[in-house]
Each structure stands twice: as C-alpha cells, then as structure tokens.
Amino acid sequence: MKSSTLAANEGKVLKGIGVSPGIVIGKAVLLERQRTRFIPRRVTTRQVISEVKKFKEAIEKSKGELQEVKERILEKGFTQHSYILDVHLRLMEDRMLRDETIRMIKEDLVNTEWALEVTLDKISEAFDSIEDEYLRERKEDIRHVVERILRNLTGREPQKVEDLEEDTIVVAHDLSPADTIQLNLKRVIGFATDMGGRTSHTAIVARSLEIPAVVGLEDITAYVGGGETIIIDGTQGAVIVEPSRATIKAYQLRQHHYRYLERELLKYSSLKAETQDGYHLTLEANIELLDEIPSVIQYGAEGIGLYRTEYLYLSRKTLPTEDEHFHVYKKLAEEIAPYSVTIRTLDLGGDKFASHIDLAEEMNPAMGLRAIRFCIKEKEIFKAQLRAILRASTYGNLKILLPMISGVEELRQVKVILEEAKEELRTKGVAFDPEIPLGVMIEIPSAAITADILAREVDFFSFGTNDLIQYSLAIDRVNEHVSYLYEPLHPAILRSIKGVVDIAHEAEIEVGICGEMAADPLYTLIFLGLGLDGLSMNAIAIPQVKKVLRRSTRTEGERLLQEILKFSTAKETELFIRKEMADRFPEDFIQCVA
Ligand code: PEP
Ligand code: MG
C-alpha cells in the first residue's frame, strides 16, 4: 500500500535490482524528471515552416547543452564516460528521428511535440525486435535524447543537479547518462531509480564509478520527497527509506564488513581454493545475467555453476528465440572457457513468473506445473532452449542442469526430448558436443531419496538447497512469517546432503551445492566434511570461502561433521559451528550467545 506520509514510510524497505554493489547511508535528493504528455494539435500549412524551424532550433540547443556537459566532464577527467554523450550527440542527427518528425509535421499537419513523440514510439518498436539485449536497451538513449529536445521545445529549464551536499543519494524516476555525469559525483554516494535494468546506463556508470546503486524499484519516487535518510544496499538490491536507529547501526556494521571484505578478501580471489592438506573444492559462480561475467572472473570463480536461464524469459513481451538463447550461451561458453558453464534449463514458476507464459493460477504455485514439468509439457519451448545449448556447446564447455526433477521418470522424459533436439541438429548438419554432461538438481526430497537411481543416469548432481529446505521442511521460502523455520542446518538437510554425496561418489559422479547456503562461509568446513566436490555462489562470496578453505584441512572438516551429526537441532549445530568459526577466524565471525 502506498502512502505519502513520512511516518508510514519509516523503515520502508523497497526491493529492486542491485546493479552496483556496496552499502551507503546518506540523504536523499529527488531529481524530478516528470515527463510532460503532449496532445496532437493541428497546424495550418502556414504554421508548418515555423514548427519545423522550432524543431531544428530545439535540436541545436540540445546539442549545445550536450556539448557543454561533455566539455565539463572531460575537464573533470571522466573521459571514459564522454562516449555516451557522443552517442547522444550522434542520435540528435539521426535521420529517422529528424526526417520522420519533419515529414509528419508537413504531411499530417501536426504539432512538432506530437510528431516527435510518435516518431519516438516508432523507433522504439523497431528496437524491440532487435535480438541483442544490449542494443535493444539502447532505445533508452533515444528516449533521453527526445526528452531533451522536448524540454527545449517547451522552454522548460533543466533542473540544477550540480549543487549537491556531501553524501547525497540521488533518487529519480530515471537518470539519463547526461544527468548522471552532470551530477557532482564526488558528493553522490548512491543511486536509486524507479526504472532501469542491469544494462541501463545508470547501472553501467554506477558500476564503473563504484557507486552503489539499485534500479528498477518501480515507485521509490512515491516514497521520497528529498531530505530523508536512505540506505542503499547495492549488493542485495534493497533500499530503506527513513531507517530506524537500529537498522542504521546494523547497516553500518554490514558496511564495515563489506569494505573489509573488499579490501582484505580480494587478495584471495587469485589463490587456489585448496585446503592445507591439498583438498580442492571447485568454487563456481551463480549468475543471472551476462553482465556479471567480469565479476565472475574478478572474484576468482572457476566457472559458472548455475546460470539461471529464466531471466532470459522475464521482463519481456515475447519468448526468447532459439538464436537469442544461442548467442547468450555462446558468449558464456567463450568467455568462461577453459572453465565450464552449467546452464540450468528454464525453472519458471514459484516466485519466478514471465508475463508472456501462461501459467495457470494455482493454489500452491511452488508445487504446481512449473520448471521441468512445464518444459516437458511445452516441449517445443523446451526444445528450442536445448537446441541452443547444444549449438553453443562447441564454443566452450557447457553442461545442462535440470531443475525440479522429482524422479527418474521425469529425467527419462527429458532425455527423450534431448535426443530429439540432437537428432534435429544432426539432420541439419549442425555441430554440437555429443557428450555434453547432463545433471539434475537435487532439490526435491524424492530426488534425494532416490539419488541412487538417478545417479546411474546422469553425469552430476547439484543441490538446490533453497528448494530442498523449502520442500523438506515444508517452509515456503518467500513467506516471511515462517522464515524463522527455514533452517539450513536442520539435521534433515545435513543428513540428506550426506546421503546423496555418498551415493554420488559411489556412482563416481560429482556433486555440488548451488543454493544460497553454499555462499555462507560459516558452513564451509561442514561442506568439506560432507565431501562435496564443488560450491556455486554469488561471485562476491568466493574470496571469503577461499580464505576459510585455505586456512583449514579436510580432516578438520570431517571431525567437525562427526560432532555435528550428533546434534538433534539446527540451533545446537549453529551455536557449535559459530563458536568454532569465531575461535578459528575471530576477525570474520561473531560468536553468538545461547
Ligand atoms: C535452489 O533451489 O537452491 C536453487 C539454486 O535454485 P533457485 O533458487 O533458482 O530455485
Ligand atoms: Mg530451486
């Protein structure tokens, strides 16, 4: 529920897309970028000349402004960002934009503002059909250019954004690149916007300037009037408006921890993920977007252990084509080689929905017709994805991972579809890796219990502990009322993992964890004891886990596990492991009191 009163906004937490990591606490400045809506107005043939003249003058004025901004930012030394302004300057000259607008004014006898808006819509539509996501999102640049021209057509003054106080957090509906770089960036410590995605320019600029940012918040401008205290958590994608003193304190601690992590832990990125007695645990990254490839490399991941492909289906009006899938997988394969990339097939449903895929409204969506069940039913959608993975497999090392497998029958059904996809490619003479490894996620209790049967028919296992905990303990993972029962250290979970790891090793297949649990360094020694072959996590978590590994031995992990398996509750295990870790790593872990 929306409310404009401050009291109601106190501690308001908004979730968006964290596009530039880090935590900052500062004062909000609201940049108004209200879009004026224009209506069509008839012009007479005599007025056409003055309308066209007005349009050309507005373009010239806009170019002049951009040129000025460009010179100023070059003076400030932000040379790498001036290219964005060059792009905008060139767009001002775009023939389609100019000629089509002028044609409309002359032939349709409409006012310039309306003609320009209609032209923008036409160009935007053409952009929507571009396959490359990055290029497609560049239509935002054209929109920003048009908005500047429209402002100059109407003679509105631009909002001054340079006189900012120290520690300002800029809140806006949207920020154009010119807006962003005009800000006094020495004083801006964070960004929060209603609009935007990972590849929007605010995101790109924020990341390269290392300013924490959260975009895609949808309605933060409705909650902020300016002057409020705001916390930006660019790592988690959260913004807190008017936090309580306790929240500020908690975030200051996190901020401290985060800075420490950045400084101290980065040096572990380039070191081997190996214990002192020579046990190597493969640490891979979980990603949702191609944009994350640089951090996969920066934090020293040895590959991608989970690429959540459902993000290819979200926030768009149509299904991704086979070629779109292919280009993404090819890029991943090429950039991550010689390491491997585990591509998880579509895992839609539960808390992940795509507007163009009609999933029936179900009482229990987490247990409904979703993920692999949906793919088996909608075979053609699934096969397009499988063909794309197969085609891309010749460009590097790809693996296929199936979500939500509940038993071997489903696996066999998928194998039949995979064979069909291979056959179709063979018929067309398209190359692919015939030995591409196929694995299943162990995230449904029935899969864990029948792991011995599954192990005979797959190349690897990957624990989806987020769901394994949800389904084993009957705790809805997105329901905050039962979140206190969501216990990764529950004996049922540890026993499930142990049982499956032993079975996997007997069958000589590899087994790892790719649920959130893998990223928690508190559990690293337990995982060592359990004998897991790999862990896949947010790339940024890798250095800390490496640190724990490099200062421990596998034997220590095994000894700890023996103790832990004797406990009856998650609480006992947590107390025990916290104490152990705080003793071993006093600088990284805080001991909790019973
Ligand atoms: C999991 O369930 O643990 C997992 C890794 O997948 P997701 O969080 O996408 O369901
Ligand atoms: Mg899952």
Side-chain angles (χ1 to χ4, degrees):
M1 233 198 323
K2 265 193 205 175
S3 166
S4 55
T5 65
L6 198 60
N9 289 342
E10 230 166 75
K12 175 92 197 152
V13 181
L14 295 154
K15 288 290 279 177
I17 309 163
V19 291
S20 182
I23 292 169
V24 282
I25 304 167
K27 287 274 178 228
V29 163
L30 180 68
L31 285 193
E32 308 256 19
R33 281 283 177 273
Q34 293 298 49
R35 187 101 202 270
T36 316
R37 291 268 148 222
F38 296 96
I39 44 165
R41 185 168 48 79
R42 277 230 160 266
V43 296
T44 61
T45 27
R46 282 183 49 202
Q47 284 171 323
V48 162
I49 295 171
S50 63
E51 285 292 315
V52 172
K53 184 164 171 264
K54 190 172 88 177
F55 177 48
K56 287 185 177 164
E57 281 170 2
I59 291 182
E60 286 314 308
K61 182 142 194 255
S62 305
K63 276 165 61 184
E65 282 174 6
L66 282 178
Q67 198 58 46
E68 213 179 291
V69 177
K70 186 180 157 187
E71 276 154 28
R72 270 211 310 276
I73 66 152
L74 284 176
E75 270 166 32
K76 286 186 196 167
F78 294 126
T79 34
Q80 76 271 39
H81 300 305
S82 64
Y83 81 94
I84 299 171
L85 294 171
D86 287 331
V87 171
H88 280 206
L89 278 163
R90 247 178 281 132
L91 287 174
M92 294 271 176
E93 302 285 349
D94 184 77
R95 288 193 69 105
M96 167 87 181
L97 192 71
R98 280 176 89 110
D99 296 357
E100 178 61 14
T101 307
I102 294 174
R103 186 201 63 75
M104 275 191 75
I105 301 170
K106 285 183 177 165
E107 290 176 18
D108 301 349
L109 297 177
V110 288
N111 52 324
T112 313
E113 294 84 352
W114 181 253
L116 185 54
E117 286 227 318
V118 174
T119 307
L120 172 66
D121 284 349
K122 284 185 194 160
I123 298 178
S124 297
E125 254 173 48
F127 264 79
D128 283 338
S129 58
I130 294 178
E131 282 187 359
D132 186 290
E133 186 194 353
Y134 180 84
L135 285 179
R136 207 173 42 240
E137 289 198 3
R138 299 287 65 81
K139 78 174 178 200
E140 284 306 295
D141 292 307
I142 305 207
R143 191 171 59 76
H144 288 136
V145 160
V146 167
E147 275 175 11
R148 184 175 286 276
I149 302 172
L150 283 170
R151 185 172 47 67
N152 281 318
L153 274 170
T154 52
R156 275 184 287 130
E157 275 304 304
Q159 190 178 349
K160 284 268 173 287
V161 289
E162 289 163 312
D163 318 319
L164 297 173
E165 308 261 312
E166 293 283 318
D167 292 353
T168 292
I169 289 177
V170 172
V171 177
H173 179 62
D174 191 15
L175 282 172
S176 74
D179 286 334
T180 318
I181 43 203
Q182 262 183 101
L183 297 167
N184 186 337
L185 291 168
K186 295 218 166 63
R187 297 195 169 165
V188 175
I189 57 165
F191 292 119
T193 59
D194 290 340
M195 294 194 43
R198 278 200 157 261
T199 63
S200 60
H201 272 306
T202 314
I204 295 170
V205 174
R207 261 197 303 279
S208 66
L209 295 170
E210 298 192 5
I211 294 177
V214 181
V215 303
L217 287 153
E218 293 186 0
D219 55 2
I220 182 153
T221 49
Y223 294 99
V224 170
E228 294 88 349
T229 299
I230 290 210
I231 298 175
I232 302 258
D233 183 342
T235 312
Q236 301 289 331
V239 174
I240 302 149
V241 182
E242 293 291 10
S244 66
R245 288 243 293 275
T247 308
I248 294 184
K249 235 189 147 85
Y251 270 89
Q252 278 168 339
L253 267 177
R254 279 201 213 175
Q255 191 179 37
H256 210 72
H257 187 60
Y258 183 81
R259 286 187 182 150
Y260 158 76
L261 278 184
E262 273 200 323
R263 272 195 318 273
E264 284 302 305
L265 295 176
L266 253 177
K267 59 178 184 243
Y268 285 91
S269 305
S270 53
L271 304 177
K272 275 194 178 162
E274 204 170 76
T275 59
Q276 286 174 356
D277 49 355
Y279 184 73
H280 175 254
L281 201 57
T282 308
L283 300 186
E284 295 178 295
N286 291 355
I287 69 160
E288 279 90 44
L289 299 158
L290 290 180
D291 234 29
E292 292 168 271
I293 294 175
S295 45
V296 171
I297 293 158
Q298 184 193 359
Y299 293 106
E302 294 175 280
I304 291 173
L306 173 66
Y307 172 52
R308 289 181 161 102
T309 59
E310 45 283 3
Y311 283 78
L312 287 171
Y313 297 77
L314 302 180
S315 319
R316 47 178 296 156
K317 296 195 186 85
T318 52
L319 283 169
T321 61
E322 181 181 323
D323 272 351
E324 274 180 85
H325 280 289
F326 166 72
H327 287 302
V328 172
Y329 306 151
K330 174 174 175 275
K331 188 170 165 67
L332 279 169
E334 285 172 342
E335 302 218 359
I336 300 300
Y339 296 122
S340 64
V341 180
T342 304
I343 299 185
R344 182 178 69 184
T345 59
L346 179 60
D347 184 14
L348 219 53
D351 56 333
K352 292 169 280 196
F353 288 101
S355 48
H356 52 279
I357 295 187
D358 243 348
L359 293 183
E361 280 214 8
E362 295 172 317
M363 280 279 282
N364 295 305
M367 293 195 267
L369 184 66
R370 55 168 294 204
I372 204 69
R373 302 162 186 183
F374 171 84
C375 287
I376 291 172
K377 186 157 174 283
E378 297 292 338
K379 204 167 103 176
E380 290 311 314
I381 295 181
F382 188 33
K383 246 202 280 178
Q385 179 173 36
L386 291 175
R387 280 192 305 267
I389 302 173
L390 288 166
R391 281 167 57 196
S393 64
T394 55
Y395 294 88
N397 299 308
L398 295 185
K399 297 180 184 176
I400 300 175
L401 177 60
L402 307 173
M404 292 275 296
I405 289 286
S406 63
V408 79
E409 266 190 292
E410 260 168 348
L411 170 65
R412 288 179 187 157
Q413 281 172 301
V414 171
K415 283 187 157 183
V416 170
I417 301 173
L418 183 61
E419 264 321 303
E420 283 176 22
K422 287 183 180 174
E423 201 43 50
E424 284 166 15
L425 293 179
R426 267 188 217 110
T427 315
K428 284 192 192 155
V430 179
F432 62 88
D433 171 10
E435 302 297 323
I436 187 166
L438 177 69
V440 290
M441 293 196 67
I442 304 291
E443 55 182 349
I444 297 184
S446 57
I449 295 167
T450 57
D452 55 328
I453 305 172
L454 290 167
R456 286 184 225 129
E457 306 195 18
V458 290
D459 301 305
F460 65 97
F461 284 157
S462 183
F463 280 103
T465 46
N466 304 340
D467 279 320
L468 187 64
I469 298 168
Q470 154 162 277
Y471 297 123
S472 300
L473 308 183
I475 308 299
D476 181 350
R477 64 191 258 196
V478 292
N479 181 339
E480 71 275 20
H481 303 299
V482 286
S483 59
Y484 70 100
L485 289 170
Y486 194 89
E487 294 178 316
L489 295 177
H490 193 291
I493 302 302
L494 296 182
R495 286 183 194 184
S496 291
I497 298 178
K498 174 139 182 33
V500 175
V501 170
D502 293 346
I503 286 169
H505 288 165
E506 215 165 286
E508 296 182 359
I509 64 169
E510 293 209 335
V511 53
I513 296 184
C514 65
E516 293 310 303
M517 198 182 171
D520 196 331
L522 191 66
Y523 309 148
T524 308
L525 286 184
I526 304 180
F527 295 144
L528 261 182
L530 284 164
L532 284 145
D533 300 299
L535 300 172
S536 192
M537 61 194 80
N538 283 335
I540 200 164
I542 289 176
Q544 170 92 68
V545 172
K546 271 193 190 174
K547 177 177 173 183
V548 173
L549 281 176
R550 295 183 58 83
R551 295 209 191 163
S552 312
T553 63
R554 184 167 182 200
T555 324
E556 283 168 335
E558 286 167 344
R559 250 198 340 256
L560 278 180
L561 184 73
Q562 287 319 310
E563 290 301 308
I564 284 170
L565 290 177
K566 292 181 198 152
F567 294 129
S568 327
T569 67
K571 301 250 165 3
E572 287 169 273
T573 304
E574 168 127 20
L575 277 177
F576 172 79
I577 194 69
R578 274 203 184 279
K579 182 173 177 332
E580 274 293 326
M581 296 306 274
D583 287 346
R584 287 163 191 262
F585 303 92
E587 71 279 21
D588 295 326
F589 295 91
I590 304 163
Q591 195 172 328
C592 67
V593 228

